[in-house]
Amino acid sequence: MAYLKFNTRLSSLGKLDRKFLLGFQKEFQKILWNAIGINALCFFDETNPKAVEIYKIPKGVYNFKKRKYCTFPLFTFSRDALLKAIKRADSDTLVKVLVITDAPLYKRNVDGPIFSDIECGNDIAIVSTSGMKGYPRGPKSIRQRLLKESLYLVGRMIGLPNCMNEGCAMKHAKNIDDIDKKNKAYCNDCLNRLYGGKI
Ligand SMILES: [Zn+2]
């Protein structure tokens, strides 16, 4: 990567619980340190580690026919969070935004369920816990599934393509079983892409 530091600014939309979100942030931070390195930070608010930003889903985003929320206007809505985070960061820091929601999502022109989506500029990604319902704890819990999908989204935002290697966090998941099979880490091929000057 051309940047020395990497910030993932978290933002939440909908009705997810503050405690759940803070727990997620803590664990995701550790995963990023292991996967990318010590200069990868993840936070809701860089000035207050205990603050969690939870927004109401903006009106007009819900599609009554599909009974889901369209990702496209949610990216537009989250642009403010990105601009704020870029303004506060040093010039040698790459900044991306990860929006976490409990709302069921759909992507324009795509049929079928999706867990997540990335805006075309690769600066903002959104991930939903809807459809991730699982065991309260352990590898098949909502939290673990959310962590794995988030690591995939961060990888995509920093330029990693989908990976075919079994267990790699960058393998595209079409369903819950696919997510469960992944590790919370990038494989060596992906790490080589990230640090071998290919991105
Ligand atoms: Zn890989």
Side-chain angles (χ1 to χ4, degrees):
M1 279 196 290
Y3 290 89
L4 295 173
K5 290 182 271 178
F6 172 53
N7 286 356
T8 304
R9 164 72 135 75
L10 302 173
S11 175
S12 186
L13 276 173
K15 291 180 182 151
L16 282 170
D17 174 75
R18 189 176 170 274
K19 210 174 143 196
F20 173 85
L21 290 166
L22 272 177
F24 167 85
Q25 182 264 332
K26 250 184 164 177
E27 197 169 346
F28 196 51
Q29 175 64 80
K30 281 186 201 158
I31 291 169
L32 286 177
W33 276 334
N34 289 336
I36 299 177
I38 202 80
N39 285 330
L41 290 177
C42 124
F43 47 79
F44 283 93
D45 184 331
E46 57 272 69
T47 55
N48 181 359
K50 285 188 178 166
V52 178
E53 215 165 43
I54 303 175
Y55 293 102
K56 278 186 187 166
I57 297 175
K59 281 181 185 159
V61 176
Y62 190 67
N63 183 312
F64 285 91
K65 214 170 149 192
K66 290 181 189 276
R67 294 187 178 172
K68 287 177 184 174
Y69 295 83
C70 185
T71 55
F72 186 76
L74 295 178
F75 289 137
T76 312
F77 178 80
S78 305
R79 206 128 200 113
D80 262 5
L82 176 70
L83 295 177
K84 232 195 261 174
I86 290 174
K87 223 174 165 184
R88 285 183 179 173
D90 300 334
S91 57
D92 61 353
T93 307
L94 178 65
V95 179
K96 303 288 180 185
V97 166
L98 177 66
V99 183
I100 306 160
T101 183
D102 59 332
L105 303 173
Y106 77 92
K107 199 172 161 174
R108 274 184 188 172
N109 307 322
V110 172
D111 286 329
I114 58 162
F115 297 112
S116 63
D117 193 12
I118 302 174
E119 61 126 25
C120 58
N122 279 344
D123 286 326
I124 307 170
I126 183 163
V127 59
S128 174
T129 58
S130 172
M132 287 187 182
K133 306 271 174 282
Y135 297 86
R137 284 170 191 278
K140 295 187 175 179
S141 64
I142 293 177
R143 177 150 140 185
Q144 294 306 311
R145 288 170 172 165
L146 184 63
L147 287 164
K148 290 178 185 180
E149 189 67 8
S150 299
L151 190 59
Y152 168 76
L153 293 170
V154 163
R156 287 284 309 278
M157 287 195 285
I158 57 178
L160 284 173
N162 286 343
C163 178
M164 294 306 286
N165 292 343
E166 285 304 321
C168 176
M170 287 314 297
K171 191 161 186 190
H172 178 62
K174 292 189 198 81
N175 53 47
I176 287 293
D177 290 339
D178 288 349
I179 295 182
D180 290 343
K181 282 179 204 153
K182 298 203 283 186
N183 300 318
K184 286 178 281 182
Y186 303 130
C187 73
N188 284 339
D189 289 349
C190 287
L191 288 176
N192 283 340
R193 267 189 208 110
L194 204 56
Y195 292 106
K198 290 182 190 164
I199 290 174

